[in-house]
Amino acid sequence: MNKTQASDRIHKLRDLINEYRYEYHVNNRSIMSEAAADGLKHELAELEGEFPDLVTPDSPTQRVAGEPLPQFVSAEHKYPMLSLNDVFDQGEVSAWEARIQKLVPGQKLEYFADIKMDGLACSLVYQNGILVRALTRGNGRVGEDVTANLRTLESVPLKLNKSAQTTTFEQGYTEVRGEIVMYKSDFEALNEQRAKAGLPLFANPRNLAAGTVRQLDPKLVVGRPLKFRAWDLRRDDSSEVPTNEFCYEILAKLGFLVNDQAELVGSVTDVMKFAKKWEEKRLRLPFNTDGLVVKVNDRAVFEKLGVVGKAPRGAVAYKYPAEQATTKVKDIFVSIGRTGAATPVAVLEPVVVAGSTVQMATLHNEGEVKRKDVRVGDTVIIHKAGDIIPEVVEVLKTLRTGKEQPFEMPKKCPECGSDLKKEDAEAVWRCLNYACPARVHNQIQHYTSKSALDIEGMGEKNVLALLDANLIRDPADLYTLTKDQLLKLDRFAEISASKLIDAIAVKKHPSLSHFIYALGIRHVGAQTAVDLSNKFGNLDSLSSATIDELRQVEGVGEVVAESIMTWFASAQNQQLLAKFANAGVEPMEVKRVNGGKLQGLGFVVSGTLETMEREQAGDKIRQLGGTFQSSVGKNTDYLVLGENPGASKVAKAEKLGTRIIDEKMLLKMLQ
């Protein structure tokens, strides 16, 4: 970029940032997220740094504003470190309050709200005021002993402070819980040092903090600026910590860092005011955060409310909307999926969003590209929620130079050259060539994925290697592979080849639902596959089902039913099924049990189970005559809670009076 171009860009950035500032701070109206505005300010600062003579006094940038350990040992927590259910808006917070109010009728509830830090939860155990053990959260019951590492942190007292108010806590067992975090400024400084040294950059502060704590050599921990910030205090006599507000006061007196942002609030309305205040200010905090923790302040009431699954009823985690950022579109290309869908994808200048570096974002379909008017060269706002693929939210058209290039959907598939087609009722263009390399690759990748048949060792690189060697053309060919064929490829040695052949052989008799899902039928997700297998029992019955029979299945409407019938009517798919059969692949039939001990009972599982996969639990329930359901409804008798259950399912179960049980109770019922 030359100086003239930079000057033009700088003026446009200043105008847009000043407009944002005026609307936000004067008119109390936001025209973009604070994260997006910060992205623009950052770009402006970089340009002014490159062309310092273009800086003016009115620019927005000038506004003042031990020894290595052989391994870690595991140890049990004296008191479980529970996880929290998530809530996302005022309605869900109000629903939470209504549920707990029913359990303590007439009780005046106050809440203690604090910033939820993005770090690694740890527990420090003090005996008579001396640090004796430090554990990671682990699975909540058992954690890793990281005492040697945490002793090196200056923010972790090796001996509790003494004062007139802390005498009680200097005797006996005292447990302090908190978060290991790395401040954003320290993280950036570390990455700057690594960049100068030509070393790979760290991804985000949270991962770096967690990885550092788990280093076997404490000397490596000393060189990383980690902080321990406390948020809970446990004693054998719980009455010694009467409220969460008192807990924070004592933690500070004992010598711990605590969040001074925390507040005692008297109602859900006040909780939301607190949430709103910190949504606007959280980017200025020294550490990363994605929300708040809200607890019932009275600890006796908190304990009385008890635990549901692995989450206390008396606390929730309030999550803010997905983080946003601004970046530029470098290019737009079309990606072909396993069903032939042609999806426009934006190639972006790398930008950190929600803690990870983003370089691509989906544009969904041609209609979305036109509606948002996304062009190559545009400055855009993107957002990313959790593991969801980033997407373009908005184009900042006022920053255009006139050189941006509109996107045109290609007429031919970029992978195989076949014509792209679009049905009138669809927004998606598709490559209809079943032999398209991209379709074949994605279909096999889907078939072997963890959510489908979960064939260990069939990662993306191995799939590509087998395709490049012409050893496979479809998923059925996997079952004809031999060890000698694999050994001819550079990627395989004796042990890895044997393991892959064994892993494929083990999946010759998959569950019917996993096999149906693995086939990649359009509109048939994992739960629909379960419902179909539950209804028809075997593949032959499903393949010959009428459209009326298909529509009787929960969640299957006209479009899904037609998609299933179309798939089984295809000559190419019939050939694929024949190849599976010839290779000895026989999905297990779903056996219906009349009069089983769970006959007529409906079950929903939410969260992660410890002893089995969710599908395994569903198979066992069905074998005993029960029904395995995808969502809580009037016909649901039991909601089984694993780790990190869905808050909405719990709320609906409580509203309907559905019995809520844990995994231990489910195992008893399955015996």
Side-chain angles (χ1 to χ4, degrees):
M1 184 179 293
N2 60 38
K3 189 172 181 179
T4 301
Q5 293 170 326
S7 177
D8 182 58
R9 179 74 174 178
I10 284 172
H11 282 296
K12 289 180 177 178
L13 284 168
R14 287 174 183 168
D15 289 343
L16 187 55
I17 293 168
N18 283 329
E19 181 186 2
Y20 164 79
R21 184 206 65 78
Y22 177 81
E23 293 292 343
Y24 186 80
H25 293 283
V26 178
N27 294 335
N28 197 30
R29 187 177 76 88
S30 182
I31 61 173
M32 70 180 76
S33 70
E34 187 170 352
D38 281 348
L40 298 179
K41 293 174 188 174
H42 179 70
E43 181 186 352
L44 177 60
E46 286 194 326
L47 280 174
E48 290 182 345
E50 187 176 352
F51 300 94
D53 57 327
L54 296 179
V55 178
T56 59
D58 62 342
S59 172
T61 62
Q62 304 305 298
R63 186 184 300 278
V64 177
E67 288 298 317
L69 302 172
Q71 63 181 26
F72 286 122
V73 296
S74 297
E76 287 190 10
H77 293 288
K78 187 172 185 179
Y79 303 104
M81 291 187 74
L82 303 174
S83 55
L84 299 180
N85 288 326
D86 294 338
V87 292
F88 296 91
D89 55 39
Q90 183 166 349
E92 292 188 356
V93 178
S94 297
W96 166 66
E97 181 185 54
R99 291 195 301 272
I100 61 178
Q101 192 75 69
K102 289 179 182 178
L103 299 174
V104 285
Q107 178 77 46
K108 169 62 178 172
L109 297 177
E110 289 184 312
Y111 305 101
F112 195 69
D114 190 16
I115 305 296
K116 181 177 179 293
M117 293 169 282
D118 190 17
L120 180 70
C122 286
S123 164
L124 306 178
V125 176
Y126 292 82
Q127 195 65 42
N128 296 325
I130 304 299
L131 177 66
V132 295
R133 175 173 283 175
L135 298 177
T136 62
R137 180 185 180 277
N139 64 9
R141 294 180 294 103
V142 176
E144 293 174 315
D145 189 328
V146 290
T147 310
N149 286 347
L150 264 60
R151 285 178 64 88
T152 67
L153 304 189
E154 292 289 345
S155 52
V156 173
L158 301 180
K159 182 178 181 180
L160 297 176
N161 287 358
K162 293 184 178 181
S163 68
Q165 296 93 338
T166 61
T167 304
T168 299
F169 304 93
E170 296 160 19
Q171 305 299 319
Y173 179 93
T174 299
E175 180 181 352
V176 177
R177 294 176 174 180
E179 210 83 38
I180 302 292
V181 298
M182 179 174 287
Y183 289 174
K184 290 181 284 189
S185 58
D186 292 330
F187 174 77
E188 291 166 1
L190 269 178
N191 264 348
E192 286 179 6
Q193 294 172 10
R194 293 180 69 83
K196 290 177 181 177
L199 298 173
L201 302 184
F202 293 122
N204 57 66
R206 197 270 174 200
N207 288 356
L208 180 55
T212 300
V213 170
R214 293 190 174 100
Q215 291 285 341
L216 290 173
D217 188 351
K219 293 186 180 68
L220 294 175
V221 184
V222 175
R224 305 269 174 86
L226 301 179
K227 301 287 192 301
F228 178 87
R229 298 182 71 95
W231 43 253
D232 197 16
L233 177 63
R234 294 294 179 99
R235 293 278 292 176
D236 289 333
D237 182 357
S238 59
S239 67
E240 293 173 353
V241 188
T243 67
N244 284 304
E245 184 181 37
F246 174 83
C247 168
Y248 272 46
E249 294 171 0
I250 291 299
L251 284 171
K253 293 184 187 318
L254 289 172
F256 291 94
L257 283 169
V258 294
N259 291 345
D260 56 13
Q261 298 85 13
E263 285 183 16
L264 178 66
V265 295
S267 67
V268 168
T269 299
D270 292 331
V271 168
M272 298 312 299
K273 287 180 180 177
F274 181 87
K276 178 63 177 175
K277 177 175 73 173
W278 285 106
E279 182 176 10
E280 298 170 353
K281 296 169 61 178
R282 64 193 170 109
L283 292 179
R284 304 170 202 165
L285 291 169
F287 47 80
N288 283 332
T289 173
D290 62 353
L292 313 173
V293 173
V294 183
K295 305 176 184 177
V296 171
N297 188 46
D298 189 311
R299 299 275 285 241
V301 175
F302 185 96
E303 294 297 327
K304 183 178 179 180
L305 288 169
V307 174
V308 55
K310 293 189 177 181
R313 284 193 178 92
V316 289
Y318 177 89
K319 292 297 186 70
Y320 286 121
E323 185 178 335
Q324 296 186 341
T326 57
T327 185
K328 294 187 76 173
V329 177
K330 296 166 61 178
D331 195 8
I332 299 175
F333 71 94
V334 170
S335 172
I336 306 297
R338 60 182 170 83
T339 64
T343 303
V345 178
V347 180
L348 309 170
E349 290 185 353
V351 62
V352 176
V353 187
S356 60
T357 301
V358 171
Q359 299 185 70
M360 288 190 289
T362 179
L363 297 172
H364 298 293
N365 54 59
E366 181 188 30
E368 277 292 285
V369 178
K370 290 181 177 178
R371 185 179 68 82
K372 294 177 180 177
D373 191 18
V374 183
R375 304 180 185 182
V376 176
D378 271 336
T379 301
V380 295
I381 297 175
I382 63 168
H383 76 184
K384 178 176 180 286
D387 293 330
I388 297 174
I389 298 172
E391 66 174 343
V392 173
V393 179
E394 181 185 351
V395 177
L396 300 178
K397 297 178 182 178
T398 56
L399 296 179
R400 282 181 173 166
T401 64
K403 296 181 179 180
E404 291 76 17
Q405 301 172 6
F407 169 76
E408 295 245 353
M409 194 73 185
K411 304 301 180 190
K412 302 283 186 180
C413 172
E415 299 289 340
C416 69
S418 301
D419 290 342
L420 294 180
K421 307 267 186 181
K422 185 173 76 166
E423 297 178 10
D424 292 339
E426 279 200 320
V428 178
W429 288 84
R430 294 184 185 276
C431 171
L432 302 183
N433 176 17
Y434 282 94
C436 173
R439 288 193 64 174
V440 172
H441 168 253
N442 285 311
Q443 182 186 17
I444 297 173
Q445 192 73 58
H446 171 74
Y447 183 86
T448 62
S449 67
K450 189 173 183 63
S451 57
L453 257 64
D454 190 18
I455 298 179
E456 188 174 353
M458 280 301 296
E460 183 177 2
K461 290 183 179 179
N462 280 349
V463 171
L464 287 172
L466 294 173
L467 285 168
D468 290 343
N470 293 318
L471 294 178
I472 57 174
R473 295 184 301 276
D474 55 47
D477 286 336
L478 293 169
Y479 297 95
T480 64
L481 288 171
T482 66
K483 181 178 174 182
D484 289 339
Q485 287 176 321
L486 296 183
L487 289 174
K488 293 177 182 178
L489 305 180
D490 292 338
R491 292 190 59 79
F492 293 95
E494 186 76 22
I495 294 177
S496 59
S498 295
K499 282 186 175 180
L500 181 55
I501 295 298
D502 291 344
I504 294 171
V506 167
K507 302 298 181 175
K508 277 195 172 184
H509 304 288
S511 70
L512 179 60
S513 61
H514 281 100
F515 187 73
I516 293 170
Y517 176 64
L519 291 176
I521 303 170
R522 279 176 61 194
H523 307 304
V524 176
Q527 187 55 52
T528 300
V530 170
D531 296 334
L532 289 168
S533 63
N534 215 14
K535 168 72 175 176
F536 296 101
N538 58 66
L539 198 62
D540 287 340
S541 296
L542 174 61
S543 64
S544 60
T546 66
I547 198 161
D548 287 336
E549 289 173 331
L550 288 167
R551 284 187 301 199
Q552 292 174 17
V553 178
E554 182 181 357
V556 175
E558 190 79 25
V559 173
V560 181
E562 288 183 358
S563 178
I564 295 169
M565 289 195 67
T566 300
W567 194 94
F568 282 105
S570 162
Q572 185 151 351
N573 290 332
Q574 286 297 324
Q575 291 173 7
L576 177 65
L577 292 175
K579 285 182 70 174
F580 277 123
N582 291 334
V585 179
E586 297 179 2
M588 293 184 292
E589 291 192 6
V590 176
K591 299 186 183 299
R592 293 203 167 276
V593 180
N594 293 322
K597 64 184 292 188
L598 301 183
Q599 185 69 35
L601 297 178
F603 290 79
V604 172
V605 174
S606 182
T608 304
L609 301 178
E610 290 185 10
T611 60
M612 68 186 98
E613 296 290 336
R614 191 180 311 196
E615 260 316 300
Q616 290 177 310
D619 290 341
K620 291 177 183 291
I621 289 167
R622 287 189 288 263
Q623 288 168 12
L624 294 174
T627 302
F628 188 57
Q629 302 167 335
S630 59
S631 58
V632 177
K634 293 180 180 179
N635 296 324
T636 304
D637 298 283
Y638 294 94
L639 173 62
V640 184
L641 296 187
E643 188 169 4
N644 299 320
S648 60
K649 288 183 179 177
V650 174
K652 192 167 184 180
E654 292 179 340
K655 180 180 179 181
L656 294 173
T658 303
R659 186 174 177 186
I660 298 174
I661 62 175
D662 58 15
E663 184 176 355
K664 185 177 180 181
M665 178 61 71
L666 174 64
L667 291 173
K668 286 184 178 180
M669 298 176 73
L670 294 176
Q671 287 177 354

